[in-house]
Amino acid sequence: QRLVSDLLTLSALESEHNPVADEPFAIVPLLLHVSSDAKGLAKGQHEIALDIGDAATVTGSRDELASAFGNLVSNAIRYTPAGGTITLAWRIEADGTGVFSVADTGIGIGPEHLPRLTERFYRVDRSRSRATGGTGLGLAIVKHVLLRHQAELDIASEPGKGSRFSVRLPARRVQRA
């Protein structure tokens, strides 16, 4: 059921007959919601930290960005052993770019895998897929949501040290509150 749902989501995101709902929304309530969902998913096994640097209004699809942010958070929880920390952060850079990041103290990802992470069904370690759940479509969904918002995904990771996934929203979509 999750696989079908994710495939339908991906199909809708890729459709040219489905324009982005460009509506302004406050980012802080969305971040609080994503953080609350993260705490529920972590079931007390991880420390979830939220660092909100700047309140802002973002123009775009709140639901699509919530889905993208949620996928990044669920991956961080999935690939961070119990006792680890996941830090969600939001800031506005000097040039007006809005940056949402998810940093974890998880297993990390080798550099050879980074270019392929947003491909459908791509797995860094195929043997972990059943154990960790997921459909293999989360980062593909993130990629398509970000394309629709003219945003970028930056990934920094080191095996054994954790990862940081950063969504960079263009300044024209971000207004400091």
Side-chain angles (χ1 to χ4, degrees), residues 11-164:
S11 177
L13 290 170
E14 292 175 331
S15 171
E16 48 195 59
H17 303 294
N18 181 20
V20 175
D22 272 336
E23 300 289 330
F25 65 91
I27 196 73
V28 172
L30 173 59
L31 298 172
L32 293 172
H33 178 78
V34 170
S35 175
S36 174
D37 284 355
K39 288 174 183 164
L41 251 151
K43 298 178 182 151
Q45 295 187 21
H46 303 85
E47 179 184 336
I48 307 293
L50 176 60
D51 175 16
I52 301 174
D54 304 284
T57 298
V58 170
T59 300
S61 168
R62 184 190 189 282
D63 290 346
E64 287 181 17
L65 289 170
S67 170
F69 293 0
N71 274 313
L72 295 176
V73 170
S74 68
N75 280 351
I77 292 167
R78 190 175 292 127
Y79 293 104
T80 299
T85 301
I86 290 113
T87 303
L88 316 180
W90 167 261
R91 70 182 185 284
I92 300 175
E93 295 184 335
D95 67 358
T97 301
V99 180
F100 170 75
S101 64
V102 179
D104 63 55
T105 58
I107 61 173
I109 305 160
E112 70 276 15
H113 297 288
L114 297 180
R116 298 193 59 199
L117 281 182
T118 59
E119 291 177 16
R120 294 172 186 207
F121 305 114
Y122 184 77
R123 298 273 187 183
V124 170
D125 180 355
R126 295 205 176 276
S127 67
R128 288 184 54 93
S129 60
R130 279 193 191 270
T132 58
T135 61
L137 294 171
L139 290 177
I141 289 170
V142 170
K143 175 178 84 172
H144 285 284
V145 167
L146 300 189
L147 283 170
R148 288 167 55 86
H149 289 81
Q150 303 79 46
E152 298 172 5
L153 179 63
D154 292 335
I155 306 169
S157 188
E158 192 176 331
K161 302 227 172 157
S163 304
R164 177 184 305 270

